[in-house]
Amino acid sequence: MPAPALEALPIDTLKGIGHATRERLGKLGLFTLFDLLVHLPLRYENRTELTPIAALVPGVRALVHARVAGIEAARGRRRAVVCRLEDETGTLYIRLFHYSATQLSRFIPGAHIQCFGEVRIGLLGPEMIHPEYRFPTPDGAGPTETGLTPVYPIAEGLRQRTFRGLVEQTLQRLDSGSASLHDPLADRPGPTSAHPPLPEALRLLHQPGTNDAERTDAARERLAFEELLAHRLSMLRRRVEGRRQAAPVLALDVRTRQAFESQLPFALTAAQQRVSAEIGQDLRQAAPMMRLLQGDVGSGKTVVAALAALTAAASQWQTALMAPTELLAEQHFANLSGWLAPLDVEIVLLLGRHKNSQREERLARVAEGRAGVVIGTHALFQRHVAFHRLGLVIIDEQHRFGVHQRLALRAKGDTGTLVPHQLIMTATPIPRTRAMLDYADLDLSVIDALPPGRTPVRTIAMRGDRRDEIIGRIADWVGRGRQAYWVCALIEESETLQCEAAEKTAKGLSAALDGIRIGLVHGRMKSADKESVMQAFKRHEFDLLVATTVIEVGVDVPNAGLMIIENAERFGLSQLHQLRGRVGRGAGDAFCVLLYQPPLGTTARQRLDILRESNDGFAIAEKDWELRGSGELLGTRQTGGGSFRVAALPRDAWMLPRVAEAADRVGAEDSTVPAQLHHRWIGRSIQYAEV
Ligand code: ADP
Ligand code: MG
């Protein structure tokens, strides 16, 4: 019988794992021996050479062999002991904060000690703060390590040495044949031909020789490739399974369509026509549409959604339109009512604030099928809203939701024997490579041009010390009957701080801008209050809206053509672009002023430059992706559902085209590889992300 696979062996089949250790490993997401081996080191240390004390370099980690010369309690704020060590070349102090009496009792003058740590220059001379140390036997004076020592990203309470021991046991079980590891790419191309096979890659990553440092990169890439392949295969499988279901056939007759277009206040752009045709084509199929509609902020996605909803209504099926906020839901309700009510499509708005009889009455219209379109937030799916015949689900501003949430939602919409068509709309362009993974189950439509007659937003970067000058300009602007946004600095540490800062800014601006009506919205306000301020701004009851990033998504106030963003250097590129998308929605001039606090770092400067030069969300998203990619470390693991264990994007994005090729080939072979890879890399994490 073949030995059990690593991914089938629970982690506590290793020796020396008690309850506490198992819990800690579980917190790191490590449950099987395979999990353990793909938990990669953060970095490596060279402990194969001893450094004489006199040759220690501040800031460098080194292994020292010395003798204990004395021990004393240290002065200072924290309880600590300082131990003086000596070798033939000099004196080194080590400072310990955590220690037990037993540990201390081993620091006997004359005892041999080895310690490893970073050297710095202290008050007394060279010192190491809390180094790793051990007391070798007199004949074990040389270094005990023969290769590089891995340092793992592990949590409080787990020791590096324990973790290394577990990895070593696992590798030994592979060697002895009591556990097996299938290499699904053994006779298939990996990321490049130079990449090591799986068992060798794991060996290299966990137990590299002193000259292997360079090769660990290729080994990591080999694992990343397999992980990305697992994800791509699983998304493709969802695609196939999704398309295997049955959906209602929805079609729009020419007369209704003409009636719709003729009462719009504008003509559809060529781009809107094209994506509407793509959607129409899908809706006529008896398999569910799963389509992602991308279009920059202001590109006019709503009317495309309305046309899709009309198509469903014309075939006697209902549409659920889900917006990320109640405010946006109301905005959609207003727009769709204007466009669809003349065509006798009844539209119902379902919000949290509707209570009792009002709510009952609306729910009844949905349940009886009188409502053709139902608009709301995600509560549309959470509460028990019963549809008569739900034929189409439209999700707006998808970037608020992660891939797992999206998949979970699809499952919720799936009720009867026919599943609804699904259209997902996003203003955050997804870089092509990223889409190959997270959106591989969807077809893609792109609105690649803005409606005509828009003045492009002029973007200006200015030093923060010219703030007063800008405040003066606001007065002129408002004097011309226009409105403006003031976006407060992003304070990541705390939302409370952020809201306080916004309140302070609003006060300051009120004092400086006499006679100007100022509104304030921030994340700490109740959503009803937030929305009433936004609505008042829309009705021009405020001239200036001071806001935190809560205004980022979808709000449409064409008369507001000026936006000032404070401390713009703290925002990400895509976020700045989203914010800027609030202005330039009408005909008049539009400006975006990026106030920054000098000095700017290189990346921050690049970001502001890109924004000044481009209004193209797609170009910006690609750049954002690239900029965010730099500066990531080996084996850093992002937290949160949907992230990878080994792979990191965009760092590994270069291999995605090859991953896609490999996935097609593996899929065509109809082998057991997809299921195996899913089980190995994803199985458990997905399960956890969805609860
Ligand atoms: P987004 O894609 O960001 O959701 P919206 O659907 O909110 O964009 O549209 C932005 C604005 O452009 C709205 O005021 C909308 O009425 C207007 N609009 C949409 N399509 C056109 C068009 N073809 N011509 C002129 N204006 C349009
Ligand atoms: Mg929108």
Side-chain angles (χ1 to χ4, degrees):
M1 215 175 82
L6 284 183
E7 54 267 38
L9 288 166
I11 215 158
D12 52 11
T13 56
L14 293 175
K15 283 194 287 285
I17 296 200
H19 180 70
T21 308
R22 198 182 57 204
E23 293 273 289
R24 288 184 184 120
L25 292 168
K27 283 210 180 102
L28 293 170
L30 310 181
F31 302 96
T32 69
L33 296 193
F34 184 82
D35 294 342
L36 193 70
L37 287 194
V38 296
H39 194 70
L40 300 186
L42 280 172
R43 56 189 165 80
Y44 301 96
E45 290 170 346
N46 191 342
R47 305 185 183 187
T48 61
E49 283 164 18
L50 293 175
T51 307
I53 290 176
L56 290 173
V57 178
V60 174
R61 299 169 71 83
L63 181 68
V64 169
H65 185 101
R67 255 191 291 267
V68 175
I71 187 159
E72 56 207 70
R75 279 171 297 157
R77 274 176 297 135
R78 291 179 65 187
R79 194 177 81 108
V81 294
V82 169
C83 179
R84 185 157 46 90
L85 311 182
E86 283 173 1
D87 71 1
E88 297 71 42
T89 68
T91 305
L92 170 72
Y93 295 89
I94 63 175
R95 193 177 285 267
L96 304 178
F97 296 109
H98 320 282
Y99 46 85
S100 64
T102 331
Q103 280 165 342
L104 272 195
S105 69
R106 304 193 61 187
F107 284 83
I108 304 157
H112 286 263
I113 182 169
Q114 273 186 11
C115 48
F116 182 85
E118 185 181 320
V119 184
R120 52 167 235 176
I121 301 302
L123 285 176
L124 305 165
E127 67 174 20
M128 286 182 184
I129 309 283
H130 228 290
E132 284 183 46
Y133 61 86
R134 62 183 199 98
F135 297 94
T137 50
D139 51 332
T144 45
E145 308 287 339
T146 52
L148 297 177
T149 308
V151 179
Y152 293 93
I154 51 180
E156 192 88 8
L158 262 176
R159 291 161 58 97
Q160 291 288 339
R161 199 181 299 170
T162 313
F163 198 87
R164 273 177 224 138
L166 297 177
V167 169
E168 190 169 327
Q169 275 190 60
T170 308
L171 290 171
Q172 273 164 6
R173 287 180 70 164
L174 273 182
D175 288 344
S176 71
S178 66
S180 68
L181 176 64
H182 175 69
D183 184 352
L185 301 176
D187 39 15
R188 293 190 177 89
T192 70
S193 51
H195 284 79
L198 184 57
E200 194 187 327
L202 289 170
R203 177 76 63 187
L204 264 170
L205 284 161
H206 292 290
Q207 302 184 335
T210 41
N211 299 320
D212 286 338
E214 316 264 283
R215 295 171 65 211
T216 58
D217 284 342
R220 193 198 61 80
E221 283 166 1
R222 164 61 187 75
L223 292 189
F225 184 86
E226 186 179 314
E227 183 176 28
L228 293 173
L229 179 62
H231 280 267
R232 168 100 183 157
L233 284 168
S234 104
M235 292 309 277
L236 291 178
R237 196 194 54 175
R238 286 176 188 275
R239 179 191 176 88
V240 170
E241 282 171 3
R243 301 260 185 318
R244 227 180 254 150
Q245 297 169 293
V249 173
L250 309 178
L252 184 61
D253 57 291
V254 180
R255 273 187 45 209
T256 313
R257 173 164 181 140
Q258 276 169 353
F260 174 75
E261 290 201 37
S262 63
Q263 47 87 40
L264 284 179
F266 46 73
L268 293 179
T269 63
Q272 285 168 325
Q273 303 263 14
R274 178 172 42 74
V275 300
S276 295
E278 287 163 3
I279 292 167
Q281 174 70 27
D282 279 2
L283 295 177
R284 280 193 293 278
Q285 311 303 313
M289 165 169 79
M290 297 196 283
R291 190 168 280 278
L292 179 68
L293 173 59
Q294 284 190 48
D296 212 341
V297 279
S299 62
K301 293 182 290 295
T302 317
V303 70
V304 172
L307 189 54
L310 178 63
T311 308
S315 313
Q316 278 74 53
W317 286 84
Q318 292 171 297
T319 297
L321 170 54
M322 185 175 93
T325 65
E326 299 213 329
L327 182 72
L328 279 174
E330 286 182 1
Q331 188 172 292
H332 284 324
F333 177 73
N335 282 325
L336 267 67
S337 298
W339 298 330
L340 297 182
L343 301 169
D344 286 335
V345 179
E346 198 178 315
I347 304 175
V348 162
L349 180 64
L350 271 184
L351 297 180
R353 81 170 95 94
H354 299 144
K355 294 273 144 56
N356 306 331
S357 61
Q358 196 183 25
R359 181 172 182 78
E360 296 299 312
E361 194 266 329
R362 291 178 190 216
L363 285 173
R365 278 194 280 156
V366 178
E368 288 157 18
R370 275 183 285 153
V373 181
V374 185
I375 302 178
T377 62
H378 55 285
L380 274 186
F381 291 92
Q382 281 170 354
R383 311 222 175 118
H384 296 280
V385 182
F387 288 87
H388 179 58
R389 275 164 35 115
L390 181 62
L392 171 63
V393 173
I394 303 176
I395 303 172
D396 192 21
E397 305 293 357
Q398 149 78 15
H399 66 287
R400 286 286 175 108
F401 311 102
V403 60
H404 294 299
Q405 280 167 305
R406 172 165 66 75
L407 297 173
L409 262 180
R410 184 186 295 165
K412 275 192 186 147
D414 172 3
T415 44
T417 45
L418 293 185
V419 303
H421 296 278
Q422 206 178 92
L423 179 66
I424 289 157
M425 308 199 289
T426 173
T428 309
I430 296 140
R432 205 177 47 84
T433 44
R434 172 98 240 186
M436 290 176 110
L437 282 183
D438 283 359
Y439 297 91
D441 58 330
L442 302 177
D443 293 310
L444 192 61
S445 288
V446 181
I447 305 185
D448 52 7
L450 296 182
R454 299 268 171 86
T455 12
V457 183
R458 277 195 50 203
T459 303
I460 303 148
M462 268 188 195
R463 292 166 60 108
D465 50 17
R466 293 175 64 190
R467 196 169 182 266
D468 289 343
E469 198 180 313
I470 290 298
I471 294 176
R473 297 269 190 94
I474 294 178
D476 299 342
W477 181 261
V478 170
R480 286 163 44 200
R482 301 290 306 272
Q483 290 165 277
Y485 297 99
W486 185 288
V487 181
C488 299
L490 186 67
I491 302 174
E492 295 206 322
E493 302 86 69
S494 126
E495 186 162 324
T496 314
L497 283 179
Q498 168 122 32
C499 299
E500 282 171 9
E503 278 163 5
K504 226 174 104 192
T505 305
K507 272 214 186 93
L509 288 171
S510 300
L513 288 164
D514 211 21
I516 286 182
R517 300 164 301 168
I518 297 181
L520 170 67
V521 278
H522 60 61
R524 274 280 163 122
M525 291 163 64
K526 286 211 196 88
S527 67
D529 295 340
K530 230 169 10 198
E531 294 189 6
S532 74
V533 174
M534 293 296 309
Q535 293 293 12
F537 184 63
K538 221 174 155 165
R539 292 192 302 264
H540 204 162
E541 289 165 18
F542 295 118
D543 304 303
L544 177 64
L545 186 67
V546 176
T548 58
T549 51
V550 295
I551 55 155
E552 194 182 325
V553 171
V555 180
D556 198 26
V557 185
N559 188 44
L562 170 63
M563 174 174 283
I564 293 125
I565 304 178
E566 264 191 296
N567 288 94
E569 76 280 359
R570 296 202 192 154
F571 292 84
L573 203 39
S574 289
Q575 199 175 17
L576 286 171
H577 179 64
Q578 285 287 322
L579 285 167
R580 179 173 62 176
R582 302 299 107 232
V583 294
R585 297 197 145 221
D589 289 350
F591 297 95
C592 177
V593 180
L594 305 171
L595 289 178
Y596 64 86
Q597 228 45 57
L600 281 182
T602 330
T603 319
R605 172 161 299 282
Q606 275 174 308
R607 276 201 224 122
L608 299 189
D609 284 346
I610 291 164
L611 275 170
R612 279 192 308 150
E613 284 155 19
S614 176
N615 268 314
D616 175 350
F618 286 82
I620 290 170
E622 293 284 348
K623 292 275 195 234
D624 192 18
W625 186 233
E626 278 166 30
L627 286 181
R628 271 194 285 161
S630 48
E632 270 179 305
L633 295 163
L634 173 74
T636 43
R637 190 187 267 209
Q638 299 147 312
T639 47
S643 60
F644 304 109
R645 300 160 169 225
V646 174
L649 293 174
R651 180 181 59 191
D652 296 321
W654 62 271
M655 55 174 88
L656 280 168
R658 289 200 73 133
V659 168
E661 265 171 49
D664 289 345
R665 209 166 326 122
V666 171
E669 287 166 11
D670 191 29
S671 65
T672 54
V673 172
Q676 210 173 58
L677 287 183
H678 183 90
H679 176 58
R680 186 183 268 189
W681 287 98
I682 304 171
R684 204 181 272 268
S685 64
I686 291 259
Q687 203 179 315
Y688 275 69
E690 279 180 357
V691 287

